[in-house]
Amino acid sequence: MVMNNYSDQQIGKDLFRFIKKRSKKNNIFKFAWLKNQILKISIQDKNLQTQLFRFVDVLPCLKIKDQRLDIFLQYLQEGKSFFYTPSLLASQTPVIREFMDWVINFSVKELAKTFICGSNIHEAKRSIQKLSLKNQKYTLDLLGELTLNEREAEKYFNDYKKLIKEIPLAQLSIKLSAIEPHLNLMNLDAQKNNLLKKLRELFRLAVSSQASINIDTEHYYWKDFYFSILKEILMEEEFRSWTGAGVVVQAYLKDSQKDLEDWIIWAKKRESPISIRLVKGAYWDYEYAKSKQQNWDCPVFTKKFQSDMNYEKLSEILLDNYKFVKPALASHNVRSLAHAINYALKKNIPKSAFEFQMLYGMLDELKDYFSQNGYILRIYLPYGDLVQGMSYLVRRLLENTANDSFLRQGFLDGSSEDLLLQDPGSLALDSSEKPVDKGFQNIANLDFSKSANHQKILDEIKNLNNEFKVPVKYPCLIGEQKIFGDKFFESVNPAKPSQVLGLVSYGSLQDCNKAVSVAKETYKKWSQYDFLKRADLLRNVAQEIEKNRYRLIALICLEAGKPWSEADGEVSEAVDFLNYYAEESLEIFSLNKLRSLPGEKNYNIYQSYGVSAIIPPWNFPFAILVGMTGAAIATGNTAVIKPSAQTSLIAFEFVKIFNKVLKTKGLDQFLGLVNLITGEGKLVGNYLVEHPDVKLIAFTGSNEVGMSIYQKASLSRPPKRVIAEMGGKNAVIIDQSADLDEAIPGLIYSAFGYAGQKCSAASRAIIHQNIYQEFLERLKQTLPEIILGDPALGQCYMGPVIDANAMIKINNYINIGKQEADLLIGDLAIPESGYFVSPTVFVNVAEDSKLAQEEIFGPVLVVFKANSFDHALSIANNSSFGLTGGLYSRSPNNIKQAIEQFTTGNLYINRPCTGAIVSRQAFGGLKNSSIGFKAGGPNYLLQFLQEKTITENTMRRGFAED
Ligand code: NAD
């Protein structure tokens, strides 16, 4: 028995002694031999481990025998395992094949059973009884991480209620994501009310049945939202004295100490305790990767010892406050447990005042220690369907096998007890942070889990609405001059067409001449200007855009009808384009990539063209306009921008920002560098294209206009340089190994995000026949639940289409579809005013029909059934376009085949097919989708330049310079 003056290490050794006595052959995992071998082999080979875990993840979806074995072999091959060739050979014999399939299936199921207590409520009840015989408590977790629609969520909700009713004094752990299918932080109020309603019903039942409910914390993004809801409901009169509720604090989070302290302050105010489970956290890989991808501060500690140290500190805080909250210390780390035991002993905290928690199937040999020594131990008991349980299983496997996992080090690697029990604080001394990466970095998008960001956008929308109350006239901007036209057109809010945002000048041909002449004059100085300083200007403009982020989001939202997060992404992309092209231009102008030999010197000089016409579309009215303009000026050209008429104010805002930067930097001499001519594409756009002093045209828009520009430019002598990004008819393939929980929301976002008006949007879905019906059923339940509305309010998933013409054109296609194909989803309720079109899905569509071939540019999706992966690829490739493509698959072979054979400029695997990020996903198409290299990629700038190669014979009378 431990004593009061023991050290953490001594108590830890006690625990180890106990474990050793209990474990036969020092085998801490209760796995059969085979399972243990799988873990050991995978630990020795990281690559193989990844492939095996991926296989475990996909297995429940593989319902056809042959497919199971084939995919298993593919993963072995990917993992470069030496088992691959013998397994492949063995699998040629039908009997052995049958046997191998059985072994695989059996092993994974057995592995799952060691962590999952049962597949139904009866098995779960049996486990509960066994625990009570050992004097151990439990908390039941109904497996399931994600629901896609209300029907699926309702099933979970009813299951929770059933558990409370069926099990006396039930102890449950629940996940809010299982009962709320449409977690969306843009829609906080509605979401909150919805969740509060569901929780009230559940809590009411729990109170009357004397059940306890713990709300598990999941991803960091949702944490603050979850906590705020729980604090609110548990303070309501009805639940204020209920002590059966519990929450979770994750010690791997950097802000967990603050969270814990806030909960304690809150609990003191409440005057009745709730349980607080302290864990380290199970989503480390996800949180780390997500924050890196978003360029957000990493929310988790990046070193394991930091989480361990924090855990110890938080367990002290928790134990110190046992009178106000009920501490639950959940861990399998002997050192962390020993520290908590020791601290409680030192502080004379009664053993009945707190509890330890451990997971079912993990470190079982220690569990009796607690009951034998008078401590309370609660076991986290997951139960449910194997399919639902796989992500839980993968998390446990990761926990057992990660390099810095205590369980792995202690029980598989055999690290010494002293090492395992050392104070995590002592490791802090020799830790050093990695140096920060220099060079181009993507700017971070807004974090919409912070409500302050919502408020700032709402404030800016309010400001703009005030500004637009009396619509003002917008001029063309030429050099230093503002030139108002004789005639104006209205720029309106597509969500509320009665709201006129501004009156925009129709630029005249004369204005075009003037703009080109000012740009030509400015070109003389700009082309000679130091390229380093040119890059500086781009960076300064990027900074100024960043300063105006909220205003720009509001403007894009009002004029282009974009939801907040899409508008935010556009601002980030614009900033990225400028910073990236600044960086790339330095490389082009300072590196000589030609080879020189003794006596022969070779080098390239890159020369700009002169005046460029920048012709962007309305659907990325800011990012594409800024990107094309930035590329032109980074390379020494000057620009005349002809924006899309529908989004003229956004273009005006950019030129205003640009000229402001020129003025504040004392660069007034370059005020003619970027000029703006608003008006009709057919008139002024066309005129600029044909203007003899325009030498380069950067265009993004429809194939029809793009090709006509290309044709005209080729007739000019010398021919003009054309860079054209054009349309798409993008396909997403979902094969039978795909995870539909990911594929369906990914496809919905790809097809209906920004009302399908992205060039990259999915407009064709190709589904393998084996999952076709399930897919249709789930899509039919899920899609109608997306929220349509005014993007300015921030809550909608899908806003309006850009204008009345677009609305009519898309509805015409829908009417054709109703005659030529079968409507699966359509005619949904849409807002009364505004240019809204119902999300629409057709099935049984002929491959060569208009619906399947023409770019509709709206929220219309056609779905095909494929009978094989080859068939799926052939449908996908049956298009004159080749912009983006998507694939949801967990078959390594299918992924490889798609990489080789999918004729698309950008192929997105297991993620939505929209949302390219500068320098990470260079963007542009094949076939009719593009002329030139990709935007945001390493070759883009070269197109804005002409190459001059100099070769000099440096030999003089027999001697050559070095
Ligand atoms: P659009 O072709 O109608 O217009 C594009 C631009 O060209 C506008 O500024 C317009 O005013 C101008 N224009 C129109 N007629 C002209 C003419 N005769 N001469 C010169 N300029 C003229 O396209 P849109 O409706 O604005 O944008 C949607 C299209 O853009 C879709 O086809 C979409 O796929 C494509 N797009 C492609 C990409 C890409 O990167 N590949 C990106 C965004 C949009």
Side-chain angles (χ1 to χ4, degrees):
M1 183 62 213
V2 288
M3 277 165 43
N4 221 352
N5 55 356
Y6 266 27
S7 68
D8 294 349
Q9 279 81 358
Q10 284 165 313
I11 294 181
K13 292 215 167 184
D14 246 15
L15 299 184
F16 271 122
R17 258 192 300 280
F18 192 93
I19 292 168
K20 273 189 192 145
K21 249 192 264 162
R22 287 297 168 105
S23 59
K24 294 180 187 101
K25 298 184 210 152
N26 203 18
N27 179 6
I28 201 67
F29 298 105
K30 268 193 167 176
F31 302 153
W33 177 86
L34 180 66
K35 290 172 261 168
N36 218 358
Q37 292 313 305
I38 294 174
L39 278 188
K40 281 192 170 162
I41 290 166
S42 76
I43 280 172
Q44 283 155 12
D45 183 340
K46 187 76 192 151
N47 185 24
L48 181 62
Q49 182 195 83
T50 307
Q51 302 309 328
L52 286 177
F53 288 4
R54 284 186 172 175
F55 177 70
V56 169
D57 175 56
V58 70
L59 185 76
C61 289
L62 308 176
K63 294 177 183 112
I64 298 168
K65 259 192 198 170
D66 272 355
Q67 200 197 3
R68 227 164 16 214
L69 183 56
D70 285 344
I71 292 208
F72 179 69
L73 291 171
Q74 289 173 27
Y75 276 109
L76 280 188
Q77 192 182 17
E78 286 289 292
K80 298 192 175 58
S81 162
F82 58 82
F83 292 116
Y84 169 65
T85 312
S87 307
L88 182 68
L89 290 174
S91 72
Q92 309 302 317
T93 318
V95 183
I96 302 183
R97 197 174 166 85
E98 188 88 1
F99 175 69
M100 285 168 79
D101 179 68
W102 179 84
V103 171
I104 291 165
N105 209 16
F106 176 80
S107 313
V108 178
K109 280 197 176 141
E110 288 301 298
L111 195 60
K113 278 189 204 159
T114 55
F115 297 113
I116 296 171
C117 80
S119 57
N120 55 46
I121 190 160
H122 305 292
E123 290 175 8
K125 277 183 177 170
R126 224 173 294 140
S127 290
I128 293 172
Q129 277 163 3
K130 279 191 201 155
L131 290 180
S132 79
L133 291 178
K134 290 195 266 178
N135 210 8
Q136 291 173 3
K137 297 186 181 225
Y138 74 94
T139 177
L140 203 55
D141 165 48
L142 176 53
L143 287 169
E145 312 276 310
L146 206 75
T147 51
L148 296 189
N149 51 57
E150 290 294 348
R151 192 158 90 176
E152 293 174 9
E154 202 177 308
K155 186 185 166 302
Y156 268 94
F157 190 66
N158 288 336
D159 284 349
Y160 285 144
K161 289 201 295 191
K162 205 166 140 203
L163 284 175
I164 296 176
K165 285 180 193 155
E166 277 197 19
I167 304 177
L169 311 177
Q171 319 278 310
L172 302 188
S173 283
I174 69 166
K175 292 192 174 55
L176 295 188
S177 61
I179 57 173
E180 176 50 65
H182 303 297
L183 280 169
N184 169 6
L185 284 183
M186 300 298 158
N187 197 12
L188 281 183
D189 287 343
Q191 203 104 91
K192 192 169 169 178
N193 290 337
N194 209 9
L195 267 173
L196 281 173
K197 207 166 124 211
K198 289 181 182 173
L199 283 177
R200 274 189 205 113
E201 191 180 336
L202 210 59
F203 284 4
R204 213 163 276 152
L205 189 66
V207 173
S208 66
S209 318
Q210 289 178 287
S212 302
I213 297 186
N214 192 91
I215 312 292
D216 287 354
T217 304
E218 300 167 74
H219 298 313
Y220 179 71
Y221 193 68
W222 301 106
K223 186 202 63 176
D224 288 349
F225 177 60
Y226 281 7
F227 282 1
S228 74
I229 287 186
L230 291 172
K231 281 180 181 158
E232 185 172 326
I233 187 171
L234 292 172
M235 228 15 142
E236 288 175 4
E237 222 29 64
E238 189 181 358
F239 304 114
R240 193 164 174 160
S241 56
W242 181 43
T243 56
V247 297
V248 179
V249 171
Q250 297 160 315
Y252 67 6
L253 293 180
K254 291 175 187 166
D255 51 12
S256 52
Q257 184 172 342
K258 175 153 190 335
D259 286 338
L260 180 59
E261 286 166 351
D262 286 351
W263 273 116
I264 292 167
I265 294 169
W266 172 90
K268 285 179 182 167
K269 215 158 105 196
R270 185 176 186 247
E271 292 173 343
S272 47
I274 57 160
S275 156
I276 297 188
R277 180 194 299 157
L278 181 65
V279 299
K280 270 179 204 148
Y283 305 89
W284 190 92
D285 286 15
Y286 173 89
E287 301 294 3
Y288 180 77
K290 196 81 201 155
S291 67
K292 287 277 158 209
Q293 285 173 15
Q294 297 285 346
N295 207 5
W296 288 338
D297 286 343
C298 182
V300 289
F301 290 114
T302 49
K303 300 228 159 57
K304 177 72 168 50
F305 78 84
Q306 294 169 316
S307 301
D308 290 342
M309 262 169 76
N310 196 43
Y311 189 92
E312 293 191 3
K313 189 170 177 192
L314 300 196
S315 47
E316 290 175 11
I317 298 175
L318 201 49
L319 288 167
D320 283 342
N321 286 283
Y322 74 90
K323 288 186 180 143
F324 312 105
V325 292
K326 298 193 270 178
L329 300 144
S331 179
H332 304 96
N333 180 318
V334 175
R335 158 79 207 190
S336 305
L337 294 168
H339 180 80
I341 292 172
N342 197 18
Y343 189 78
L345 285 172
K346 279 191 183 132
K347 292 280 183 129
N348 280 326
I349 297 170
K351 288 178 179 173
S352 58
F354 62 99
E355 65 182 37
F356 290 99
Q357 291 193 3
M358 293 174 98
L359 298 175
Y360 179 81
M362 304 236 318
L363 203 52
D364 286 345
E365 282 70 8
L366 185 61
K367 285 173 176 158
D368 286 343
Y369 172 92
F370 296 98
S371 31
Q372 285 182 13
N373 287 284
Y375 292 104
I376 302 168
L377 177 68
R378 187 181 300 280
I379 307 296
Y380 190 89
L381 273 188
Y383 89 95
D385 189 280
L386 245 196
V387 181
Q388 314 291 351
M390 275 308 131
S391 46
Y392 178 82
L393 176 59
V394 170
R395 281 206 298 278
R396 296 290 79 81
L397 290 174
L398 277 172
E399 210 160 300
N400 280 305
T401 54
N403 280 339
D404 52 10
S405 133
F406 183 90
L407 291 172
R408 170 181 169 170
Q409 289 172 356
F411 306 109
L412 289 168
D413 289 352
S415 300
S416 76
E417 282 178 15
D418 288 335
L419 195 72
L420 293 165
L421 291 173
Q422 69 185 331
D423 179 356
S426 63
L427 297 168
L429 300 174
D430 44 67
S431 86
S432 55
E433 288 290 328
K434 268 196 206 148
V436 187
D437 231 357
K438 290 222 175 86
F440 172 77
Q441 295 280 322
N442 294 105
I443 194 91
N445 283 334
L446 286 186
D447 178 352
F448 283 104
S449 70
K450 310 277 177 266
S451 55
N453 284 330
H454 296 209
Q455 197 49 50
K456 286 183 194 161
I457 297 175
L458 284 170
D459 290 348
E460 286 297 345
I461 286 179
K462 202 165 146 201
N463 290 343
L464 282 178
N465 279 334
N466 280 336
E467 253 179 58
F468 295 147
K469 253 187 194 141
V470 182
V472 296
K473 290 182 172 166
Y474 285 81
C476 293
L477 297 172
I478 301 175
E480 287 186 80
Q481 283 185 296
K482 291 178 179 169
I483 299 186
F484 289 90
D486 301 332
K487 285 194 292 174
F488 296 87
F489 58 92
E490 291 178 344
S491 174
V492 302
N493 175 350
K496 272 194 233 158
S498 58
Q499 185 186 21
V500 177
L501 308 175
L503 300 169
V504 184
S505 294
Y506 274 111
S508 65
L509 301 187
Q510 229 180 348
D511 297 334
C512 290
N513 286 337
K514 182 144 196 215
V516 173
S517 125
V518 168
K520 192 176 170 189
E521 198 52 34
T522 315
Y523 176 70
K524 291 181 190 154
K525 296 170 269 175
W526 183 246
S527 56
Q528 299 307 311
Y529 198 55
D530 182 358
F531 66 86
L532 293 169
K533 291 187 182 159
R534 289 201 298 240
D536 281 345
L537 176 64
L538 259 71
R539 292 198 183 100
N540 291 331
V541 176
Q543 276 169 11
E544 190 61 26
I545 290 175
E546 180 60 5
K547 275 192 214 153
N548 287 281
R549 178 180 283 269
Y550 295 97
R551 179 180 163 85
L552 286 163
I553 292 172
L555 183 58
I556 295 169
C557 180
L558 289 178
E559 197 181 25
K562 280 204 174 181
W564 290 359
S565 60
E566 308 280 347
D568 175 55
E570 231 196 290
V571 178
S572 299
E573 193 178 6
V575 170
D576 282 350
F577 273 137
L578 292 174
N579 287 329
Y580 180 68
Y581 292 150
E583 183 102 352
E584 288 290 300
S585 70
L586 301 189
E587 187 159 319
I588 292 176
F589 291 115
S590 57
L591 282 188
N592 175 26
K593 292 190 178 167
L594 293 187
R595 236 156 48 89
S596 290
L597 293 174
E600 181 189 282
K601 195 167 155 189
N602 299 312
Y603 54 96
N604 263 356
I605 295 176
Y606 287 98
Q607 289 183 333
S608 46
Y609 279 90
V611 179
S612 62
I614 306 293
I615 307 181
W618 51 263
N619 71 332
F620 281 89
F622 193 66
I624 290 183
L625 179 150
V626 173
M628 296 197 298
T629 310
I633 62 176
T635 44
N637 301 285
T638 56
V640 178
I641 302 173
K642 205 301 299 162
S644 227
Q646 294 92 328
T647 49
S648 302
L649 304 199
I650 296 168
F652 186 87
E653 194 74 10
F654 169 67
V655 181
K656 215 173 82 184
I657 289 176
F658 190 89
N659 286 345
K660 182 181 163 198
V661 173
L662 284 178
K663 284 185 184 158
T664 49
K665 296 287 166 193
L667 297 172
D668 298 48
Q669 56 166 329
F670 295 126
L671 276 169
L673 185 50
V674 169
N675 306 278
L676 179 75
I677 297 284
T678 46
E680 264 188 89
K682 276 188 200 133
L683 187 72
V684 281
N686 190 39
Y687 188 73
L688 285 173
V689 166
E690 292 183 336
H691 198 293
D693 284 337
V694 169
K695 304 292 181 195
L696 177 155
I697 300 141
F699 167 85
T700 305
S702 62
N703 180 263
E704 188 193 344
V705 175
M707 292 317 292
S708 79
I709 290 177
Y710 194 43
Q711 204 171 20
K712 283 172 201 153
S714 71
L715 297 177
S716 160
R717 292 291 172 269
K720 299 180 188 205
R721 170 64 71 114
V722 176
I723 301 136
E725 298 295 339
M726 297 173 288
K729 185 74 188 174
N730 311 305
V732 172
I733 298 176
I734 302 182
D735 84 3
Q736 54 186 332
S737 68
D739 180 352
L740 287 184
D741 284 350
E742 276 183 5
I744 291 175
L747 176 67
I748 290 178
Y749 179 68
S750 304
F752 302 100
Y754 192 36
Q757 301 174 105
K758 296 181 191 175
C759 47
S760 51
S763 52
R764 297 180 295 147
I766 304 162
I767 318 297
H768 191 278
Q769 59 182 4
N770 287 355
I771 52 162
Y772 186 72
Q773 280 313 329
E774 184 189 352
F775 166 84
L776 292 189
E777 192 50 42
R778 293 187 80 189
L779 185 70
K780 228 160 100 181
Q781 288 299 325
T782 311
L783 178 60
E785 290 177 12
I786 66 171
I787 300 170
L788 265 67
D790 179 354
L793 305 176
Q795 297 146 2
C796 74
Y797 187 100
M798 196 183 111
V801 298
I802 192 70
D803 59 17
N805 281 342
M807 187 173 73
I808 293 166
K809 200 171 146 198
I810 299 163
N811 281 331
N812 282 343
Y813 273 111
I814 293 177
N815 287 334
I816 295 175
K818 284 178 179 170
Q819 284 151 24
E820 292 183 352
D822 292 334
L823 184 73
L824 180 79
I825 301 164
D827 298 327
L828 304 178
I830 51 173
E832 272 172 19
S833 70
Y835 304 127
F836 287 91
V837 175
S838 162
T840 304
V841 181
F842 288 106
V843 292
N844 298 328
V845 183
E847 250 190 76
D848 289 321
S849 63
K850 272 176 167 241
L851 216 54
Q853 291 296 328
E854 293 179 12
E855 187 185 39
I856 300 176
F857 224 57
V860 180
L861 177 74
V862 295
V863 182
F864 295 98
K865 178 159 74 173
N867 51 33
S868 66
F869 194 67
D870 285 337
H871 184 209
L873 273 174
S874 92
I875 300 173
N877 289 338
N878 180 8
S879 168
S880 64
F881 293 107
L883 190 52
T884 70
L887 168 65
Y888 282 91
S889 169
R890 288 181 287 183
S891 151
N893 281 3
N894 287 358
I895 291 175
K896 259 186 236 152
Q897 192 181 345
I899 291 170
E900 284 163 17
Q901 296 173 10
F902 206 146
T903 47
T904 177
N906 285 68
L907 174 61
Y908 294 95
I909 301 167
N910 291 322
R911 51 151 282 171
C913 69
T914 61
I917 293 177
V918 173
S919 93
R920 280 161 57 191
Q921 293 97 29
F923 187 77
L926 307 178
K927 300 197 270 190
N928 274 335
S929 295
S930 185
I931 300 167
F933 286 112
K934 285 161 178 277
N939 304 315
Y940 189 68
L941 284 192
L942 290 173
Q943 309 172 102
F944 291 74
L945 290 163
Q946 320 181 61
E947 258 176 323
K948 196 165 153 185
T949 302
I950 313 295
T951 297
E952 186 183 343
N953 175 3
T954 54
M955 192 83 88
R956 298 283 185 280
R957 305 227 170 257
F959 88 92
E961 73 174 1
D962 276 345

